[in-house]
Structures are given as C-alpha cells and as structure tokens.
Amino acid sequence: MRRQMGMSSPSIHVHDTPAEAAAAVAAECAALIRLRAAEGRSTVLGLATGSTPLPFYAELIRLHRDDGLSFAGVTTFNLDEYLGLEPGHPESYAAFMAKHLFDHVDLGSDRTHLPPGQVEEGDLERVCGEYERSIVEAGGIDFQILGIGRTGHIGFNEPGSPRDSRTRRIDLDPVTRQDAAPAFGGLEHVPTHAITMGCGTILAARRVVLMAWGEKKAEIVREALEEDVTDRVSASFLQEHGNAAFFLDAGAASALTPGAA
Ligand code: PGA
C-alpha cells in the first residue's frame, strides 16, 4: 500500500493497482466470514456490480479455490438491478453475479438476493418493501461493497437521492446510461430505470467499503470525500458513516488534497 490517510472516516487506502486494493478488501471480507463462521454465525454481504468489483470477486473465488474459504454460511444482497430486461439478459445484474461470483463458490441460490428486474408498476412498492424486510430478517448487512458512478451514485442512487431513501425505483441519470451504452451495444438499448437499495439502506450496513479505480473517478472521489455532504453526490453520505473506507488505486486518488484526509 502506498498511503493510508488519516484516522478520519471514511478511512482512505491507496494502492498501486486495483488488484492490490481489491485483494486487501477481499482479505478483510474473508477474515470477517471466517471469524463469524467460527462463532457459528452467518455473514451478510452487500454486493455491487460494474467493472469495479471484478478484481474483488476474482480474489474471493481464488480464496475459495486455493484457501478453503467457504461461503456456506453467507447470505448476499445486491445493490440494484435494471428494470425491464428479459430474464437471463446478459447485461442483467443477476447474470453478472452468476458469471463473476455465484457460479464459482459454494453459495446456495436460496442465499443470494437481487432486486427483481421484472416488476409490474402496481407491484413496485410491495416488492421494494419485501427486499428491505428480507435484509432486516437476515440480520442486516455486515459488509457492504460499493463502486462509485461518475454522478457520485452508490448503488443507483442518482443525484437528488435523499439520505434516508430506501429500496425503490429510480430514473437512471443520462451520464449513467451513457457509461452503460457500450455494454448494451448503444444508448437506445440501456434501460431507463432500475430498482436500487436506498442511501439509507446502504448506510445501515455495519461496514461499508467503496472501491474506485482510474483517473476518470478521481474528481468524483475527491468531491465525495472533500466537499460538503450533499444529496447531489450520494457517496458523500459515507462521510457520516462511522465505519466506512475508500480503497483506491493511484489514479482514483490523484485529485485528493495531500494530507487533507
Ligand atoms: P463501474 O461502475 O464499476 O463500472 O465503474 C460503478 C458504478 O456505476 O457504481
């Protein structure tokens, strides 16, 4: 690790590469799973999609394969899902999670949860309420991982999302849809809506770790950490979480004020 800045919350951990930073996050996550398993307790993970967590999932799979890390006692809740994609769509987050984690570890399908991607308008409130309740019934989220969008979103909590927001339907910001366009083969194929955990859902997690890689995230990371807390940048709410950390590579940390953390 190159730098660990200050004792503030969020703590800031800067590594040379995404792989090194993600390995440190995976080591913390694995230690928690093992500690709780040794105490006969399950672990509830909050999971994210996108390019950011890929090296984190690769390391969890390696720990499972080479180091005996078991997910038998783990329950997972994903942050979000696109609305309106047909089941099995390759860009759905359900498909993403199967491909990049669930198919490679001993996680029973009854213990993995994502918001549904196909919901009738009249059913939204019930479905979102059930997602919130199932998190509470599982004991609440022990360890939540996050990426950050260029809009500052965590989950799909686009600018204007209140601090106490809960799982709900959200209009995707044009910047977010633009960033997703290559994966969907064009902007016109990107969904316009998603279901996302709210900022309040995320902030209720006992530990929150945000990862960000590359210079294109540097300015929004700086805003989230160094500017006032604002609903224009939902990641800034993490300043008010007592146990949050930012794991960054050199590029994502490059706009931070030296020594300001
Ligand atoms: P990315 O997306 O990991 O693909 O950069 C992050 C996000 O939008 O939260």
Side-chain angles (χ1 to χ4, degrees), residues 195-239:
I195 292 184
T196 184
M197 282 186 199
C199 297
T201 323
I202 293 167
L203 293 169
R206 289 181 272 277
R207 171 74 165 158
V208 180
V209 174
L210 184 148
M211 294 178 269
W213 323 134
E215 281 182 22
K216 69 180 190 303
K217 298 287 175 73
E219 180 50 28
I220 196 68
V221 164
R222 189 198 64 75
E223 279 183 52
L225 286 168
E226 296 187 5
E227 298 291 331
D228 290 345
V229 175
T230 169
D231 69 10
R232 282 182 292 102
V233 177
S234 64
S236 72
F237 291 131
L238 297 174
Q239 292 180 31

Side-chain angles (χ1 to χ4, degrees), residues 151-184:
T151 61
H153 69 206
I154 48 177
F156 272 138
N157 289 288
E158 302 290 18
S161 295
R163 192 199 177 289
D164 61 356
S165 50
R166 292 284 165 175
T167 302
R168 67 206 188 288
R169 181 172 64 175
I170 189 100
D171 293 0
L172 294 176
D173 190 277
V175 171
T176 299
R177 294 188 65 238
Q178 197 68 55
D179 283 348
F184 279 90

Side-chain angles (χ1 to χ4, degrees), residues 3-141:
R3 269 193 300 168
Q4 181 158 358
M5 294 165 85
M7 295 298 289
S8 59
S9 183
S11 61
I12 302 169
H13 309 260
V14 184
H15 292 257
D16 284 333
T17 64
E20 284 174 27
V25 178
E28 181 184 328
C29 182
L32 181 70
I33 293 169
R34 286 185 163 128
L35 176 71
R36 292 179 66 90
E39 294 169 345
R41 294 190 294 161
S42 64
T43 304
V44 180
L45 301 181
L47 300 180
T49 49
S51 58
T52 304
L54 289 175
F56 169 75
Y57 294 140
E59 178 63 6
L60 287 185
I61 292 166
R62 192 195 68 75
L63 289 169
H64 172 67
R65 195 186 56 222
D66 300 343
D67 215 16
L69 177 66
S70 174
F71 291 80
V74 171
T75 300
T76 70
F77 291 90
N78 266 79
L79 285 165
D80 43 22
E81 179 60 285
Y82 290 115
L83 268 174
L85 298 181
E86 68 271 19
H89 190 291
E91 291 304 320
S92 73
Y93 287 158
F96 176 102
M97 290 308 302
K99 180 173 173 191
H100 294 293
L101 182 66
F102 297 161
D103 286 354
H104 308 282
V105 296
D106 57 337
L107 246 174
S109 58
D110 55 327
R111 300 178 77 104
T112 63
H113 305 82
L114 289 100
Q118 303 260 323
V119 187
E120 296 296 327
E121 178 89 31
D123 233 11
L124 267 169
E125 208 177 305
R126 181 185 63 77
V127 160
C128 293
E130 276 176 5
Y131 201 66
E132 287 282 328
R133 267 194 304 285
S134 55
I135 294 171
V136 171
E137 280 164 13
I141 294 170

